[in-house]
Amino acid sequence: VPFDGRRKFKGQLVGLENEDIGIRVDHEEYLLPIDLIEKANVGPQF
């Protein structure tokens, strides 16, 4: 299901708030509802 007109987000995880995941993408922050996330990949940042 698209969220804010997008289906894919690639960015930095910034936190957790209630039932939402915070992610920063291109200097914008989004709160994505956990139940709408089908797949997530976490990669280390060096």
Side-chain angles (χ1 to χ4, degrees):
V1 176
F3 181 82
D4 199 30
R6 299 175 68 163
R7 286 187 45 83
K8 294 183 180 183
F9 291 82
K10 183 175 182 178
Q12 181 180 14
L13 295 175
V14 292
L16 176 66
E17 187 174 311
N18 298 324
E19 298 293 320
D20 299 327
I21 298 289
I23 185 170
R24 182 178 300 124
V25 179
D26 299 328
H27 305 292
E28 285 191 53
E29 289 191 12
Y30 297 91
L31 283 176
L32 304 175
I34 291 174
D35 59 341
L36 293 182
I37 298 173
E38 292 180 19
K39 180 181 176 184
N41 297 314
V42 180
Q45 184 178 9
F46 300 100

